[in-house]
Amino acid sequence: SYVDWIKRYVHFHHMRCREDLADGERKIEAFLTDLAVRGKVAASTQNQAMNALVFLYRKVLEKPLDEVIDAVRAERKVNVPVVLTREEVSGVISVMEGVPQLIVKLLYGSGLRILEAVRLRVKDVDYEMKQVTVRSGKGEKDRFTTLPASLIPPLQNQLRRVKEFHEQDLAAGHGAVYLPYALERKYPGAARDWNWQYFFPAREVSTDPRSGLVRRHHVDPAVVNKAIKVAARRVALTKVISAHSFRHSFATHLLQRGTDIRTIQELLGHSDIATTMIYTHVIQQGGQGVPSPLDDLQ
């Protein structure tokens, strides 16, 4: 992505040599303004372009940008989350099966993001406390969230199948999983330890392109997203949903049940309460809870 933005920047200013990159602040400002005014890009797209060009000057050219870049800012679009009713959630889940169904139940039952769900390890689920520990979630933050009691038996069944996979891998001379940061060097045997295994492993082992080790990675999120789309079509759902829609529904339905907003903020792992507050608008009936005048006509 960065290389593409740098190429667009170079073409925009018709640069032909390295010296043309001089006076970066002024040129970046003109490029970003054009993206916002003529290109009508989203704020996130403009930010990515800015980051790419800062990287170019700071890390590649080793010429940090010292002056202020005062480009016209793209308007930030506020997206209203897609929320399912309880009946819609039940309908979609009922036509799913296997691991994708179990993961979607976790998304809705615990408010997890899709990557947080597929990266769960055996040690992260506490059945006694009915608690899921999310490690290194968005923003590299750990948090606790609730574990639905109804999910305990199917999760334990899943673990029994994972245990068989793990024992087969160990017998074949594999059985290791990826460990974050420097844990693999600090605890050499931890990668093969049962507690560190993925709760939802992939069907096949694969070769890690960086280390060259043969490992069993976690299930691909694309498998879950594809299963969600198929299920939505089967129940003729008119809403366009993704894995994240179940997290939105988790928060909204908790609010409807009377759970306080601060608790929901903690369960979702939001840094800012304003992010969580969007769900207070979703639960209003109609536009901001205002009844339509059409309903007053006889």
Side-chain angles (χ1 to χ4, degrees):
S1 297
Y2 277 19
V3 168
D4 184 62
W5 279 119
I6 292 168
K7 288 169 64 176
R8 291 177 63 174
Y9 171 67
V10 168
H11 292 156
F12 177 79
H13 287 294
H14 307 289
M15 297 177 181
R16 298 185 178 277
C17 60
R18 191 182 183 94
E19 287 70 27
D20 289 343
L21 290 163
D23 193 15
E25 291 89 346
R26 182 182 61 80
K27 292 177 179 176
I28 291 176
E29 185 175 303
F31 177 64
L32 295 179
T33 297
D34 181 75
L35 286 178
V37 176
R38 190 175 61 84
K40 305 293 184 184
V41 301
S44 58
T45 302
Q46 190 185 41
N47 288 340
Q48 187 184 67
M50 174 69 175
N51 292 337
L53 297 177
V54 169
F55 178 86
L56 168 67
Y57 280 89
R58 183 176 298 166
K59 299 295 185 181
V60 180
L61 303 176
E62 297 183 348
K63 294 180 179 179
L65 302 167
D66 299 322
E67 298 179 21
V68 176
I69 298 174
D70 189 22
V72 174
R73 301 300 296 168
E75 293 185 10
R76 184 172 296 277
K77 182 181 177 183
V78 178
N79 293 313
V80 177
V82 176
V83 175
L84 303 173
T85 65
R86 289 177 176 82
E87 292 75 18
E88 289 170 336
V89 171
S90 177
V92 172
I93 290 178
S94 67
V95 298
M96 299 181 72
E97 58 185 17
V99 169
Q101 183 193 59
L102 193 53
I103 291 176
V104 169
K105 285 183 175 180
L106 264 177
L107 301 182
Y108 176 67
S110 302
L112 300 182
R113 299 178 178 92
I114 181 65
L115 279 178
E116 293 171 348
V118 299
R119 288 174 178 171
L120 278 180
R121 313 268 182 162
V122 172
K123 64 183 181 63
D124 295 332
V125 179
D126 189 329
Y127 303 107
E128 295 296 323
M129 297 290 291
K130 294 185 177 62
Q131 170 177 285
V132 176
T133 304
V134 178
R135 310 282 183 184
S136 300
K138 192 172 182 179
E140 290 299 304
K141 296 178 295 184
D142 292 357
R143 74 176 191 279
F144 297 116
T145 187
T146 182
L147 173 67
S150 61
L151 266 188
I152 292 177
L155 287 176
Q156 290 175 332
N157 288 335
Q158 168 69 7
L159 272 194
R160 282 190 279 271
R161 290 192 290 270
V162 176
K163 187 76 169 176
E164 292 176 4
F165 273 133
H166 184 52
E167 290 173 351
Q168 291 170 9
D169 289 345
L170 288 174
H174 308 310
V177 293
Y178 166 77
L179 295 183
Y181 311 114
L183 288 177
E184 196 161 3
R185 294 197 301 271
K186 189 175 182 180
Y187 305 109
R192 288 180 168 80
D193 188 274
W194 166 241
N195 291 327
W196 280 96
Q197 301 305 304
Y198 286 118
F199 220 103
F200 303 106
R203 289 186 177 182
E204 305 292 338
V205 294
S206 58
T207 302
D208 188 314
R210 288 170 294 186
S211 66
L213 298 175
V214 177
R215 293 169 167 162
R216 190 179 293 276
H217 203 49
H218 58 67
V219 66
D220 191 335
V223 173
V224 183
N225 281 315
K226 183 178 179 180
I228 290 172
K229 292 185 184 302
V230 171
R233 285 197 300 267
R234 288 184 62 187
V235 298
L237 192 68
T238 56
K239 296 175 181 176
V240 180
I241 64 170
S242 65
H244 216 62
S245 302
F246 294 94
R247 175 175 159 92
H248 292 320
S249 303
F250 164 82
T252 304
H253 296 169
L254 283 183
L255 269 177
Q256 290 173 334
R257 285 172 47 186
T259 307
D260 69 273
I261 195 74
R262 289 288 182 184
T263 299
I264 296 174
Q265 178 190 2
E266 292 294 324
L267 294 175
L268 294 176
H270 289 161
S271 300
D272 190 347
I273 189 66
T275 307
T276 318
M277 288 296 291
I278 191 170
Y279 299 111
T280 62
H281 301 295
V282 175
I283 63 172
Q284 301 284 351
Q285 294 183 352
Q288 302 298 324
V290 179
S292 170
L294 182 64
D295 293 334
D296 295 333
L297 298 181
Q298 299 297 326

